[in-house]
Amino acid sequence: MPQADARLGRVVRLLADHATVVVSGTKIASEIGTSRSEVWRLVQQLRELGVNIGGHPATGYSLNSMPDLLLPDFLAPLLHGTIFGKNIQHYYKTGSTNNLAMEAAGDGAAEGSVFLAEQQTAGRGRGGHEWHSAQSVGIYCSVVLRPELPPSEVLVLSLAAGLAVQRAIRDIDSRVHPDLKWPNDVLIEGKKFCGILTEMNAEVTRVRHVVVGIGINVNQASFPPELQGVATSLRLATGSEWSRVELCAALLKSLDREYCELTKNAGARESILRRFCKGSSSVSGAHVAVDENGGFEGVTEGLDSRGFLQVRTVEGVRPVLSGTVRKL
Ligand code: BTN
């Protein structure tokens, strides 16, 4: 498993804490317990990652601007009082944060552990699709949960994550109207900017752990040709850059609220289903094609009590269990 290089975060934190002054390489080296030449190497690595650091070994270093990196040092203070503030792991580059989180959960990672990456080289979506995860323009985030739920009820958790994304975005910019697409996409004007991949390890009647992986296109200025017609980012949709740190904190706070409600309050599941329907333009009354069991078409008729999409076909109402739903 690749190690999160916490020293990179500590260099940034140290420079951020002394934002107006030049900090000597010797001071940084002694604070993080390494050599001056290693500090130089870390600074070079941070520069390659887009962190704007001035200076050189002879003069010392200073931050020219505050970087928008998803560092635990930046996020943890914003997440006090939530289940997500205590164990945040940050990676500059990894295969997939869902893989890291699933592996860590299997090894006993605490509920609420968060895995974040600046870049994923093997970001995954539902159905074995790839999730485009370019460096420092998106949020690639996976969290470990240990709900006391039977596996059949985990879908509601995934729907709650969609609601958390929608809420976080509206809280930051009320002009944006994200639309939920069952089961795990969030769209703006018909284009996808967020996908959620919920995976679990379970016995037949009991969930051991769940990993909710959330990918948000935040500051992408463009997409590869094959995604151009279907994908967007918050920047493309609003015309301005977003703070990933602010959005990530808002997302985890919102997810904490949804999750704590769900685990403590018997009525929460119904509220999630109701709000999901309200926040989606396609869960009711949309003519759709479903690529499941040879494919079928029909008109959506809301969600059943476990959160499965109901589609009225010529043969009657059919639930969609795992297929992809496309509006016609
Ligand atoms: C989908 O749209 O099918 C779901 C995409 C989920 C992408 C996120 S990014 C963070 C986490 N790590 C992954 O490899 N996938 C999820």
Side-chain angles (χ1 to χ4, degrees), residues 126 155 182 290 292-293 296 304 306 308-309 319-323:
R126 276 176 85 224
L155 175 56
W182 188 91
V290 182
E292 190 174 277
N293 285 337
F296 60 91
D304 72 12
R306 288 179 306 165
F308 290 100
L309 184 66
V320 183
L321 300 177
S322 63

Side-chain angles (χ1 to χ4, degrees), residues 198-216:
T198 302
E199 298 182 295
M200 69 174 153
N201 181 317
E203 293 165 18
V204 178
T205 54
R206 187 182 71 93
V207 166
R208 290 198 193 95
H209 55 256
V210 173
V211 164
V212 180
I214 302 174
I216 304 182

